[in-house]
Each structure stands twice: as structure tokens, then as C-alpha cells.
């Protein structure tokens, strides 16, 4: 991917990401995103797209990543439908998870497509949650976006660690990526106070 261009007012949160910092969308309530240029070519080939995401709202279309236009097989998108099911689609050639996900936690989403077999898969936190066979390859081109669909469905929440691969990652590779990310996540170990310790005031811990 080329360096992204901020559209409107997405905000970088250096201490509020799944792994390190994260991109917070939308600040203005509607159309914040990142435009990453049109050099990325996913048409008629195998690929994997992935990102950590945390939603700030549910019950609405919230798209994480996309490329192409809103026409059959020419608009690739991954994200949430209004029923809170996660979707991986090529526009009128889509696959949704059987289950809905309405939590507000950080989750690691990975979508793979294998062109020779047209096998399409969705993983959540290293586990396979949906699989199927696409009717066609993705045939679109154009700008790759973070935080929106090919039309007007924008993400609301945090996005971190976006990645695109020129192959369909295996289940083992995806699980390994997930476990490595968990090792890099910030954590704080708290212990019980020593007997007789005087309470002074709440403390803010910066990670």
C-alpha cells in the first residue's frame, strides 16, 4: 500500500490500539476514512486482507476495508452489516458469518480468497467463522480505503494493524499472527496493596 491520505478528520490514538496505536473513525460522525491509492491490484488473484477493529456502535453498516466500485464483483469490502454479522463481499457476491458480533472489544479479522478454488474464508481472533465458494473472482480496481465501503458505509470505531497479502494465508499462519499480536499487546499487572497502605487518589497509567 502507498502512504494513505486522510479524508476529513480521522484521529490517531497513540495509546489506544489493539497492538500499538490505532486510527479512530469517525470523528465527524460520517465520512472519515483513509485513501491508500490505486496501486494495489487484487483483481482475479488470491489475497488476504486483515485488521484489528473495535466498534463504537452496533446495528449499522460499518465497513473496515474496501476497494473498487458498487457494481457486481467490482466492489470488495469487509466489515459489519446492520444485523451485526461480519461480511466479506465482492458486491452481489458476498459471504456473511452465521453469527452476529455486537461486542465492543478489539478483535482480529482476517479474510482470505484463493483464486484457483474461489474459496473465501473469514477468521476472527485466529478461528475460522465462515467459509464458502465465491461465484466469481473480485474484478475491481481503484482506490483502497480504510474505514469505508465502495459507496457510503463508514466505520465507527478503532482500526489497527491493517495488512494486505498477495496470497491466501493458511489457518496456521493466521493463528500465528494472532498469537504474536497478543504478545505485543500492552498489559498492566496489578497486585493487592500491602496491609496498612493509605489510599491517596486514583492513578492514571499511561501505556
Amino acid at each position: 500500500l502507498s502512504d494513505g491520505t486522510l479524508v476529513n478528520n480521522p484521529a490517531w490514538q497513540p495509546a489506544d490500539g489493539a497492538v500499538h496505536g490505532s486510527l479512530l473513525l469517525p470523528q465527524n460522525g460520517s465520512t472519515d476514512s483513509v485513501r491508500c491509492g490505486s496501486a494495489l491490484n487484487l483483481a482475479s488473484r488470491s489475497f488476504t486482507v486483515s485488521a484489528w477493529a473495535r466498534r463504537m456502535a452496533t446495528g449499522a453498516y460499518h465497513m473496515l476495508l474496501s476497494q473498487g466500485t458498487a457494481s457486481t464483483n467490482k466492489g470488495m469490502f469487509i466489515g459489519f452489516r446492520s444485523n451485526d454479522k461480519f461480511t466479506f463481499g465482492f458486491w452481489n457476491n458476498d459471504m456473511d458469518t452465521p453469527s452476529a458480533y455486537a461486542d465492543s472489544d478489539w478483535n482480529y479479522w482476517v479474510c482470505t480468497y484463493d483464486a484457483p478454488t474461489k474459496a473465501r474464508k473469514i477468521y476472527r481472533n485466529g478461528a475460522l467463522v465462515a467459509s464458502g465458494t465465491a461465484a466469481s473472482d473480485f474484478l475491481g480496481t481503484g482506490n483502497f480505503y480504510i474505514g469505508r465501503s465502495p459507496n457510503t458505509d463508514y466505520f465507527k470505531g478503532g482500526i489497527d494493524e491493517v495488512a494486505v497479502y498477495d496470497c491466501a494465508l493458511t489457518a496456521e499462519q493466521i493463528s500465528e499472527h494472532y498469537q504474536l499480536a497478543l504478545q505485543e499487546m500492552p498489559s498492566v499487572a496489578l497486585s493487592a496493596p500491602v496491609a496498612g497502605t493509605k489510599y491517596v487518589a486514583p492513578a492514571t497509567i499511561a501505556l
Side-chain angles (χ1 to χ4, degrees), residues 11-33:
W12 177 250
Q13 305 291 304
D16 187 27
V19 180
H20 299 293
S22 69
L23 193 69
L24 183 62
L25 309 161
Q27 289 295 289
N28 66 1
S30 59
T31 60
D32 293 348
S33 61

Side-chain angles (χ1 to χ4, degrees), residues 4 16 33 36 38 41 46 49 58 61 76 78 84 91 99-100 104-105 114 129 134 142-143 155 164 174 176 182 194:
D16 187 27
S33 61
C36 300
S38 58
N41 181 12
S46 301
V49 289
T58 58
Y61 283 89
M76 187 280 294
I78 74 168
D84 295 321
W91 210 270
S99 301
S104 58
D105 300 325
D114 180 64
V129 292
N143 285 318
F155 190 73
V164 181
I174 292 167
E176 181 180 0
L182 292 182
V194 177

Side-chain angles (χ1 to χ4, degrees), residues 50-153:
S50 66
W52 284 84
R54 180 173 64 183
R55 299 173 81 189
M56 294 175 61
T58 58
Y61 283 89
H62 292 143
M63 293 299 149
L64 288 171
L65 309 171
S66 71
Q67 185 181 39
T69 59
S71 56
T72 300
N73 295 318
K74 293 185 178 181
M76 187 280 294
F77 56 92
I78 74 168
F80 295 90
R81 294 193 183 275
S82 59
N83 60 6
D84 295 321
K85 292 185 177 182
F86 198 86
T87 186
F88 175 23
F90 299 159
W91 210 270
N92 295 325
N93 175 13
D94 312 330
M95 181 180 69
D96 298 348
T97 58
S99 301
Y101 300 94
D103 63 89
S104 58
D105 300 325
W106 280 107
N107 292 290
Y108 180 50
W109 293 99
V110 182
C111 296
T112 69
Y113 179 67
D114 180 64
T117 63
K118 292 184 170 55
R120 187 164 44 187
K121 299 179 181 181
I122 301 174
Y123 295 81
R124 177 179 181 267
N125 296 337
L128 181 67
V129 292
S131 62
T133 303
S136 166
D137 290 341
F138 168 56
L139 304 176
T141 59
N143 285 318
F144 186 91
Y145 281 97
I146 299 172
R148 61 165 289 178
S149 72
N151 57 7
T152 57
D153 298 317

